[in-house]
Amino acid sequence: MRVVIAGGHGRIALLVQRHLTGRGDTAVGLIRNPQQAATLRAAGATPVVCDLEHADVTEVAAHLHTADAVIFAAGAGPGSGAARKDTVDRAAAALLADAATRAGVRRYLLVSSMGVDDPLAADTDDVWAAYLRAKRAAEDDLRGRDLAWTVLRPGRLTDDDPTARVTLTPHAGRGAISRADVAHVLVALLDAPATAGATLELVSGPTPIADAIRAATT
């Protein structure tokens, strides 16, 4: 399997790349900064410099040819303002979907966020509100496309060790999840075509990942 990951230098993306290459798949990471290439190579991935805030669909689609799936794991990141939440977390996700359609890649996993459906409190920070709106807009855009998409909404992310046990349902309830377990779930979802069309929330829990994915598709 050849998988292209947008946001290839992110912590979850790097873990996904290690999982994929460790089992013999090909991982390609799209990165904005060429200085990040060595880190991707150390994870076993092939780095491709492609700035999704400035690339056009033709350029991105060229990187997706022969891919079996794409994962959008990009984000504007801490310290970015509201404008970049929109250009990265929404617009870049849509650009990747446009490119996937043009390249004939049907499988698309979107890393979103828990809480995007909740009403915003009056005192919500402007940047956080922009982030949630961008993630929700990216989800809504993807649902209108003829792709085999799955939306994954992790809870509060931690750097804890993986447990390989989770709660994965449309309404998991608030909680935390390690980035390592998120990466494991993303790779497992690539092997679960029955999850296409599903929006799944993810937090730590009692269920082995394989069992949780099977339960989510019944």
Side-chain angles (χ1 to χ4, degrees), residues 29-30 34 43 50 58 61 78 86-87 124 141 172 174 181 195 203 210 215 217:
L30 303 183
C50 179
T58 301
D86 184 71
T87 58
T124 301
D141 174 81
R174 292 303 180 96
D181 280 327
T195 61
V203 295
T217 58

Side-chain angles (χ1 to χ4, degrees), residues 55-64 94-103:
D56 63 22
V57 65
T58 301
E59 177 185 347
V60 180
H63 299 309
L64 305 188
L95 174 61
L96 185 67
D98 288 339
T101 299
R102 182 171 294 195

Side-chain angles (χ1 to χ4, degrees), residues 6-218:
H9 191 255
R11 284 180 283 180
I12 290 173
L14 288 170
L15 292 166
V16 168
Q17 290 159 24
R18 291 189 182 99
H19 276 300
L20 289 170
T21 58
R23 69 180 198 173
D25 293 325
T26 299
V28 178
L30 303 183
I31 53 175
R32 180 174 58 88
N33 185 348
Q35 295 181 350
Q36 298 169 341
T39 304
L40 271 69
R41 293 191 187 99
T46 300
V48 171
V49 178
C50 179
D51 185 347
L52 293 177
E53 289 184 272
H54 298 98
D56 63 22
V57 65
T58 301
E59 177 185 347
V60 180
H63 299 309
L64 305 188
H65 285 298
T66 76
D68 298 290
V70 298
I71 300 174
F72 187 84
S80 58
R84 290 201 67 228
K85 301 304 183 189
D86 184 71
T87 58
V88 178
D89 292 276
R90 180 198 61 78
L95 174 61
L96 185 67
D98 288 339
T101 299
R102 182 171 294 195
V105 181
R106 291 205 26 87
R107 191 71 170 119
Y108 186 122
L109 304 185
L110 174 67
V111 181
S112 185
S113 175
M114 193 173 289
V116 298
D117 289 333
D118 299 340
L120 293 173
D123 60 350
T124 301
D125 175 79
D126 288 345
V127 174
W128 179 247
Y131 169 77
L132 292 175
R133 285 194 294 266
K135 285 297 188 186
R136 177 55 192 261
E139 290 186 10
D140 290 344
D141 174 81
L142 191 57
R143 291 189 185 101
R145 295 177 182 268
D146 183 22
L147 293 170
W149 55 264
T150 302
V151 172
L152 185 66
R153 294 173 170 177
R156 181 175 55 83
L157 297 172
T158 75
D159 291 320
D160 294 340
D161 292 336
T163 66
R165 291 179 176 272
V166 301
T167 295
L168 180 72
T169 67
H171 304 286
R174 292 303 180 96
I177 183 74
S178 72
R179 290 177 174 85
D181 280 327
V182 174
H184 191 165
V185 168
L186 285 167
V187 173
L189 287 171
L190 291 171
D191 299 328
T195 61
T199 299
L200 300 170
E201 296 185 347
L202 175 66
V203 295
S204 294
T207 308
I209 288 172
D211 294 341
I213 288 177
R214 279 194 293 270
T217 58
T218 58

